[in-house]
Amino acid sequence: LYGNFIELGYGRQVEPMWGELFFNRSFEHFAPYRPISIQWWDLWLDPKNPSKGYEKDWRKFDWYHSGYEHNAWFAAPGALPSFEISEVSTFVVETTSPLQVAIHPQPGGVHGRQCMRVENKEAQQWGGLAQAGKYLRKGEGYTFRGHLRNIRNASKVEIALYPEGNWERPIVSALLSDIGGEFQPCVAQLANPAFEGRAVFMLRIPPDSVLEADAFSLVPDSNLHGWRREAIEVSRPVRPSVMRFPGGCFSSFYDWRDGVGPRDARKPQDSPFWGGENANDVGTAECAMLCKELGAQMMFCVNVFHPLKQVFDYHLSEVEKGPHGYDFPQFTDLAAGAQLAADWVAYCNAPVSHPMGKLRAEHGYAEPFGVRYWELDNEVYRWFQADEYARAAVTYARAMKAVDSSIKVGLISYGPKFAENLEAMLDIAGRDIDFLADRCYGEGFQDAILGRLRTYNAAHNTKIEYCNTEWLAFEGHPDAYNRLEMPVTTQSFIFSKWRYAMNVMRNAMMWQRKGGDILFVNFNNFANTHAQCVLETPKEGAYLAATGRAFELLTQSPVAWPLKLEGYTPLDTADVQVQAAWDSRREALVLYLFNMTATPQEAVFSLARLGREFKTAQTTALWADSLLSMNTLAQPDAIHKEEQPPLPLQSKTEFRMSGRPFAFTQTILR
């Protein structure tokens, strides 16, 4: 039931999970973050008056960790650059004092639009290019790759790692020689048997020399398919059922071909909707390997073309707009978009006898990825009318299913003029789609849309299911974030706290009660994203956020068949709730007690009419000292988990269940 959501190009979701240690490894011009990102990150000093500016030092926020760093390239040796993220940040410091060493971005290179020229005018001292913020682990090996070009006197150079703030002696170094006058790939192995901590990477060139560099990479040898091993290991207990990729809003301007094949052949790109840069190091295959490691199904979000996508700023408010300079004529022709989507299905699912399957095999993946779920874009009300989108969905679904008839295609059913026209959209597309991709919040809203879907299915003998493909833990109403009892009311403050995680579980109980028409619900988001996430991945390690602890329990719970409780009507907004369900074999009874109050609670369940004799009870509780508690790198277990061994039952006819304050308690009767 419980899936997650990964969006490229927004919120540093992917980069800190990914094994790459360099920030902006190809020295690209950094596209400033757009106002809509500043808004979602709660950076405005006065949200009602953006002219007052925004916070440029993210270290002030309690959600901050080192995974959010934007490390600048700088001429070295020299002082480390200051931390600031603004609309004028280039993350390149071209000169260093007192040495005559300089770096300059240059057009061209082998990867992207720019490379970096490194110039050392010193007569005797070596100098070069550096970037701080590399966290090294004792005993770990690292592989450096890069493309270098000797402009003058730089046929031999050195790469090295130094402790941050200390240029006296490198931790480890390697010599690269025979560098010619054209760009050539270079590889070096850097072993680190003894050092643990933050380090600076440096490329050192001889006195009176000039070099050009591009497409750098530095990854730990312990990586799993390019992902940080510790990020994968910490994620495993969450057991996401489905992973949605590559957006979100980013997917509306995504061409999957930019994210396949050799990584240095993929061009880094601006993130058009959010600002910032997407290196395209993580694409189709990398997502597939992550899902394979976590045991998750994949759901890819398809770019549905529309003429209005050529210049997409038209739909944004004045606060959101800002300069962009993007033009997308390639995303305007619907038939071309449907063919591109069909090719993506083939690339993922077709055998090697198919041209797209053959291309996948050439990229190193002979076995199909088996991507089952395909959502037709994101927030399409920005471009489409409801009936127009439904017809586009038919075109896309038929083209995609002609390649693989087993895939499941999702129709967006939320947004202005969409939800109220659901029946009309289904009349057009209902025979061609398999699930609704919705964003419904609150039990009343959920019951209403499920009722309409069930009515349509009954009338047309279809089996369209319901999905919420991107949900936040709203509290009772779409516009009411859980701000009660909060001293600060920004979203980012709320997202990280135990109250928000408890609301995740309260919403989850509601979806459990809805039965088999709910196919899956994808929480927004999986990693990082200013605490709006399950997993946090600072450079020093990885840990589950408060919501991660909630999903760890939910996804391992054996709940399968929720039961109706006599004389009890659950409310999705209640601060004390109970629930009961059979496991999949109807052998164990699973009881929940949800308590978001500051006082202990007790529930008594009568078992007499079940006709079963239960012998043991095993209880697991998640709780925190306060609704404002949060997990951090320094305190990754502020959200407590208490697991009791199975205990013998004292009564055959009832079970008395206790819940401490601010706790979610699960008991399994066997």
Side-chain angles (χ1 to χ4, degrees):
L1 182 60
Y2 306 115
N4 288 100
F5 169 36
I6 292 179
E7 180 164 6
L8 294 179
Y10 171 67
R12 302 279 300 160
Q13 292 183 47
V14 170
E15 292 83 357
M17 287 183 68
W18 187 239
E20 180 60 63
L21 270 63
F22 286 131
F23 176 77
N24 191 7
R25 70 183 188 87
S26 290
F27 315 109
E28 296 301 296
H29 168 75
F30 190 85
Y33 288 120
R34 294 169 60 81
I36 192 171
S37 283
I38 297 170
Q39 174 184 325
W40 266 95
W41 284 62
D42 294 312
L43 300 178
W44 294 118
L45 300 178
D46 182 353
K48 296 181 179 179
N49 186 3
S51 65
K52 292 184 179 180
Y54 56 91
E55 182 56 64
K56 300 176 178 64
D57 187 348
W58 295 1
R59 293 173 297 184
K60 296 180 179 181
F61 298 105
D62 66 357
W63 48 258
Y64 172 80
H65 58 65
S66 59
Y68 295 109
E69 289 180 17
H70 293 48
N71 300 116
W73 291 104
F74 64 100
L80 304 187
S82 60
F83 187 101
E84 185 175 277
I85 300 171
S86 75
E87 69 276 9
V88 297
S89 297
T90 63
F91 305 108
V92 175
V93 180
E94 295 194 1
T95 59
T96 183
S97 178
L99 299 182
Q100 297 186 70
V101 179
I103 62 175
H104 305 289
Q106 300 285 316
V110 298
H111 188 221
R113 293 162 291 190
Q114 294 186 164
C115 62
M116 188 70 80
R117 175 166 288 198
V118 186
E119 188 171 5
N120 183 7
K121 294 182 180 180
E122 290 289 317
Q124 297 182 344
Q125 187 167 342
W126 285 53
L129 170 75
Q131 188 179 88
K134 315 301 151 214
Y135 193 88
L136 303 184
R137 287 175 171 75
K138 187 183 299 184
E140 177 71 89
Y142 298 87
T143 300
F144 168 82
R145 289 183 171 84
H147 286 74
L148 303 177
R149 177 187 178 198
N150 177 12
I151 304 298
R152 187 180 75 242
N153 298 335
S155 62
K156 183 181 294 184
V157 303
E158 182 186 62
I159 59 169
L161 291 163
Y162 291 84
E164 276 192 3
N166 185 349
W167 296 105
E168 293 182 6
R169 179 181 297 175
I171 300 163
V172 62
S173 63
L175 201 64
L176 301 173
S177 57
D178 299 323
I179 299 169
E182 300 296 331
F183 275 107
Q184 64 189 64
C186 300
V187 180
Q189 300 297 323
L190 299 171
N192 176 37
F195 182 85
E196 182 90 18
R198 291 176 64 94
V200 180
F201 169 87
M202 184 176 178
L203 169 72
R204 300 175 70 238
I205 66 175
D208 188 31
S209 64
V210 180
L211 180 86
E212 287 186 349
D214 201 8
F216 276 14
S217 178
L218 184 66
V219 296
D221 294 341
S222 64
N223 75 85
L224 283 173
H225 313 291
W227 299 94
R228 286 173 57 186
R229 181 176 291 272
E230 64 268 30
I232 298 291
E233 296 303 333
V234 170
S235 301
R236 292 193 196 280
V238 176
R239 300 182 185 180
S241 60
V242 172
M243 281 290 203
R244 182 185 189 227
F245 176 89
C249 296
F250 184 86
S251 62
S252 296
F253 304 97
Y254 183 67
D255 186 331
W256 66 270
R257 296 171 297 186
D258 296 330
V260 298
R263 290 192 188 112
D264 284 346
R266 309 178 192 179
K267 301 301 181 186
Q269 298 170 324
D270 295 348
S271 177
F273 194 93
W274 300 107
E277 182 190 278
N278 174 45
N280 270 324
D281 286 344
V282 173
T284 298
E286 291 74 25
C287 178
M289 295 301 102
L290 174 66
C291 290
K292 181 179 179 181
E293 288 292 335
L294 298 181
Q297 293 272 2
M298 288 167 280
M299 184 176 75
F300 285 164
C301 212
V302 176
N303 181 350
V304 178
F305 290 9
H306 192 282
L308 289 176
K309 284 193 175 183
Q310 181 159 352
V311 180
F312 73 93
D313 255 7
Y314 85 96
H315 66 278
L316 299 176
S317 70
E318 290 304 314
V319 170
E320 294 172 319
K321 281 186 178 178
H324 67 96
Y326 300 116
D327 187 35
F328 295 110
Q330 71 271 33
F331 297 150
T332 58
D333 183 82
L334 186 72
Q339 183 58 55
L340 185 63
D343 287 344
W344 198 6
V345 173
Y347 182 88
C348 293
N349 296 354
V352 294
S353 56
H354 189 286
M356 288 291 109
K358 181 175 183 249
L359 180 63
R360 182 191 65 245
E362 291 171 356
H363 293 160
Y365 303 91
E367 291 298 315
F369 299 139
V371 182
R372 187 177 186 188
Y373 300 110
W374 300 80
E375 182 179 359
L376 297 180
D377 215 310
N378 175 82
E379 297 177 9
V380 290
Y381 53 81
R382 300 178 188 276
W383 302 280
F384 287 89
Q385 297 298 314
D387 60 337
E388 179 188 26
Y389 171 69
R391 289 191 293 271
V394 172
T395 301
Y396 266 68
R398 290 180 181 177
M400 296 162 70
K401 289 185 177 183
V403 175
D404 182 354
S405 61
S406 71
I407 65 171
K408 305 296 183 182
V409 175
L411 179 84
I412 286 173
S413 55
Y414 58 86
K417 299 182 180 179
F418 275 52
E420 58 264 42
N421 288 298
L422 176 59
E423 285 79 5
M425 293 172 65
L426 289 174
D427 283 341
I428 296 169
R431 297 291 182 183
D432 293 280
I433 60 102
D434 305 281
F435 64 91
L436 297 186
D438 199 60
R439 304 246 178 112
C440 188
Y441 294 98
E443 195 145 18
F445 294 103
Q446 189 69 75
D447 287 341
I449 195 166
L450 280 176
R452 295 165 70 189
L453 180 60
R454 289 166 180 156
T455 297
Y456 178 86
N457 280 334
H460 297 84
N461 196 30
T462 50
K463 294 182 180 179
I464 300 170
E465 295 177 284
Y466 175 91
C467 297
N468 192 313
T469 57
E470 183 182 330
W471 66 281
L472 297 167
F474 292 118
E475 189 158 334
H477 188 276
D479 297 323
Y481 286 95
N482 46 345
R483 295 178 178 179
L484 304 176
E485 305 171 19
M486 299 292 188
V488 180
T489 58
T490 62
Q491 297 174 131
S492 296
F493 177 87
I494 293 165
F495 288 148
S496 61
K497 305 303 183 289
W498 177 233
R499 182 183 179 98
Y500 191 76
M502 289 207 72
N503 213 42
V504 164
M505 293 185 285
R506 175 158 59 181
N507 288 2
M509 291 169 67
M510 181 269 291
W511 271 311
Q512 287 179 2
R513 292 193 294 268
K514 300 307 160 190
D517 290 333
I518 306 286
L519 181 59
F520 54 79
V521 292
N522 284 347
F523 179 71
N524 182 352
N525 291 298
F526 187 67
N528 305 303
T529 329
H530 53 84
Q532 181 188 324
C533 60
V534 166
L535 174 71
E536 295 283 5
T537 53
K539 296 176 180 180
E540 297 85 351
Y543 62 91
L544 292 181
T547 50
R549 288 297 182 198
F551 278 108
E552 180 184 29
L553 189 152
L554 288 169
T555 58
Q556 296 184 39
S557 175
V559 162
W561 301 102
L563 299 174
K564 190 173 293 185
L565 299 178
E566 202 171 76
Y568 172 73
T569 301
L571 294 174
D572 64 333
T573 56
D575 286 342
V576 179
Q577 300 186 35
V578 295
Q579 196 147 296
W582 291 118
D583 69 349
S584 60
R585 296 183 178 181
R586 292 185 172 88
E587 293 176 349
L589 186 67
V590 186
L591 306 176
Y592 288 164
L593 174 52
F594 172 91
N595 179 21
M596 203 189 276
T597 73
T599 58
Q601 299 291 331
E602 187 174 74
V604 182
F605 293 87
S606 172
L607 310 175
R609 289 174 56 183
L610 289 176
R612 304 289 182 90
E613 182 176 329
F614 298 102
K615 297 181 179 180
T616 63
Q618 184 174 15
T619 298
T620 302
L622 287 179
W623 58 281
D625 298 323
S626 161
L627 290 177
L628 301 185
S629 297
M630 63 181 289
N631 283 350
T632 64
L633 180 65
Q635 194 175 7
D637 296 311
I639 310 306
H640 311 296
K641 184 177 182 180
E642 183 178 7
E643 294 183 279
Q644 296 179 348
L647 300 173
L649 284 183
Q650 302 302 313
S651 171
K652 296 181 180 180
T653 59
E654 70 174 25
F655 181 75
R656 192 171 296 271
M657 189 173 183
S658 299
R660 65 170 74 229
F662 313 135
F664 182 87
T665 306
Q666 170 189 271
T667 297
I668 304 174
L669 305 183
R670 292 187 171 87

